[in-house]
Amino acid sequence: MHLSEQEIIRRQNLQAIEALGIAPYPAELFDVSHHAAHIKAVYQEGAEGFDNVRLAGRIMMVRDMGKACFAELQDSSGRIQIYVRRDDICPGDDKRLFDEFFKKLLDIGDFIGVEGFVFRTRTGEITLHVRSLKLLSKALRPLPIVKTDAEGNVYDAFNDPELRHRMRYVDLVVNAGVKDTFILRSKMIRTIRNFLDARGALEVDTPVLQNIPGGAAARPFITHHNALDIPMYLRISNELYLKRLIVGGFDWVYEFSRNFRNEGIDRTHNPEFTILEFYVAYKDYHWMMEITEQLLEKVALELHGTTDITVGEHVISFKAPFRRLGILDAIREHTGYDVSQMDEKGLREIAQNLGIETDASMGKGKLIDEIFSEKCEDHFIQPTFIMDYPVEMSPLTKRHRANPELVERFELMINGKEIANAYSELNDPIDQRERFEEQARLKERGDEEAMFIDHDFLRALEFGMPPTAGIGIGIDRLAMLMTNQRTIQEVLFFPQMRPE
RNA sequence: GAUUCCGUAGCUCAGCCGGUAGAGCAAUACACUUUUAAUGUAUGGGUCCUGGGUUCGAAUCCCAGCGGAAUCACCA
């Protein structure tokens, strides 16, 4: 095992600490009474309750002044300065606890617990004057120290994405703001959960390991069940299970579903990701648009106190209602072509005029989808419901009430990206069987993402499913918007990477 | 999966017309009793990603591999 100079020194310090009779990893609890941020927020001179304060955290910086030191202690809430004077922590003749242990053997990154009283230094810094100090855990590796000056300039930032993501624990300790992103993500999920629960929705758990990976068009991860000796799949979607629960008589079910798709990794894709799905009986996709815009408006308000959210160069308004636009109208708006009455041949010509590569396998629906995603999608920065997709692309969606070539589907576009996908759910079991059979034909022709036929799901539909609206909302992408992050890796604690 | 760029001290980076490996922070030692990213002085620290090749000589040039980033493809 190769150790750097600094690691060797820390191991020597560890041994020296033990030689002084001090436990480097004590077992007993340390009774924390306060947190740094709270003290800094509420402390006033002469205030009660600040004379027996117990804090615990990492030492992040030491300013050595000889017989006294200033140090910065970082706990889960933030940093606070502590003042350690030799004669306070070593009242007798034996000064080793300060001269040896504190000044020489403690390192940046070590966890300590301190007890003392809060005061304000002559430069105005709220500080804990330490009366006693205890080592709680010794750190054997040096942290990359990031410094920030009074103007907010950051020096020596720990900013290599590979190291930050592989060692997120270090990233969280040293990079201010990383924690805040994840706290905001958590608050976002809590807000959504509260919103749904308040309306009577039931949070449910459905299988992650599935026999048939249904509900979406994607390549699954395959595994194997030994006792049953059958292949199993990590779910690409939980859609078909939530619909079974609607068949069973629940009015509104939801699940934050961790899905797995065996596809590329880039700044908007991770092999496992989270989608909120919910299904509501007796509703349609118009109702779903209303509840979705209310939900997102609520999330923006809870997280930021405003509906205007800054995302990169844009300010995005989450104020409901959002714009609604048919996909064919969107194409007319951004290409000038009216494709509503066109046949496949006409669509192919237009696609080619627009510089889109086409091939013979593309049907009408696929061509419309291509034209939209190549030429239109990027333009929808403000939240927009794109509605009424071609039927070919949507095997689980009810046909449009007024136009049988379309389906009652919308995708919510924000910042040029799809954030949500929703339908009036197909509940006609005969139509559903035909659509599955069409998918099966595509699969036989080599389309790896075409859907499997799920006979049990068809059986469920044959028992009868009420008219239902359903939606999937990309939680990671929504978190990117709400935290103004440009990569999915920044909103996942441990994004997938190649093993070291 | 394709293309381009990158990989040097614990961290951030320089060095790359081939000629003994550099800086700042961090570390070590000493001095300093209230400091605010950076007190002063001194010191130590590197399989220059890995493996091959060219060369008298490679961190530097060439090839392959590994890892990362960006763009594209697939997808949410």
Side-chain angles (χ1 to χ4, degrees), chain A residues 9 50 75 108-109 189 231 246 260-261 281-282 298 313 327 340 375 393 405-406 442 469 493:
Chain A
I9 290 167
F50 289 97
D75 68 12
I108 286 175
I189 290 170
I246 297 294
F260 304 83
R261 297 188 185 175
Y282 313 116
K298 171 85 171 169
E313 300 163 353
I327 190 170
S340 59
K375 295 294 166 189
M393 306 299 294
E405 297 202 347
L406 302 178
L442 290 173
F493 275 125

Side-chain angles (χ1 to χ4, degrees), chain A residues 208-213 220-223 231-235 452:
Chain A
V208 174
L209 265 184
Q210 300 181 349
N211 296 316
I212 297 169
F221 285 93
I222 306 172
T223 184
M232 299 206 76
Y233 303 86
L234 284 97
R235 71 177 166 203
F452 292 75

Side-chain angles (χ1 to χ4, degrees), chain A residues 470-487:
Chain A
I471 190 167
I473 299 175
I475 290 298
D476 309 297
R477 290 188 177 177
L478 189 59
M480 287 165 65
L481 292 173
M482 290 294 163
T483 60
N484 193 17
Q485 294 294 336
R486 52 186 291 282
T487 74

Side-chain angles (χ1 to χ4, degrees), chain A residues 220-352:
Chain A
F221 285 93
I222 306 172
T223 184
H224 185 261
H225 191 284
N226 289 340
L228 299 177
D229 192 25
I230 53 170
M232 299 206 76
Y233 303 86
L234 284 97
R235 71 177 166 203
I236 57 175
S237 167
N238 62 350
E239 170 160 351
L240 302 186
Y241 284 94
L242 293 186
K243 286 183 184 173
R244 283 173 171 94
L245 296 180
I246 297 294
V247 170
F250 292 106
D251 278 344
W252 189 341
V253 291
Y254 74 93
E255 181 174 16
F256 288 94
S257 175
R258 188 68 64 88
N259 294 343
F260 304 83
R261 297 188 185 175
N262 206 339
E263 286 154 0
I265 299 173
D266 63 28
R267 71 171 206 277
T268 54
H269 297 87
N270 193 65
E272 58 180 294
F273 63 102
T274 305
I275 287 192
L276 164 70
E277 299 240 1
F278 61 83
Y279 290 79
V280 192
Y282 313 116
K283 304 300 187 188
D284 65 9
Y285 76 143
H286 292 293
W287 178 88
M288 188 59 91
M289 285 184 238
E290 289 171 19
I291 202 81
T292 301
E293 63 200 3
Q294 287 168 27
L295 171 61
L296 296 192
E297 181 183 79
K298 171 85 171 169
V299 165
L301 283 170
E302 285 287 316
L303 267 52
H304 296 290
T306 170
T307 51
D308 289 336
I309 306 298
T310 299
V311 180
E313 300 163 353
H314 302 291
V315 174
I316 295 179
S317 171
F318 284 84
K319 179 129 191 69
F322 301 164
R323 188 180 181 204
R324 287 144 168 81
L325 189 65
I327 190 170
L328 301 179
D329 298 321
I331 288 172
R332 188 178 325 125
E333 183 173 303
H334 289 286
T335 69
Y337 289 110
D338 181 351
V339 299
S340 59
Q341 304 301 320
M342 274 184 193
D343 59 10
E344 187 178 317
K345 184 162 168 289
L347 280 165
R348 179 163 284 114
E349 277 173 24
I350 282 173
Q352 284 163 350

Side-chain angles (χ1 to χ4, degrees), chain A residues 108-120:
Chain A
I108 286 175
D110 289 355
F111 281 92
I112 60 170
V114 292
E115 186 278 330
F117 61 90
V118 180
F119 74 111
R120 197 183 282 272

Side-chain angles (χ1 to χ4, degrees), chain A residues 163-175:
Chain A
L163 295 177
R164 288 184 49 232
H165 297 153
R166 286 194 195 283
M167 299 193 287
R168 182 69 89 185
Y169 36 88
V170 174
D171 189 33
L172 286 162
V173 172
V174 303
N175 283 329

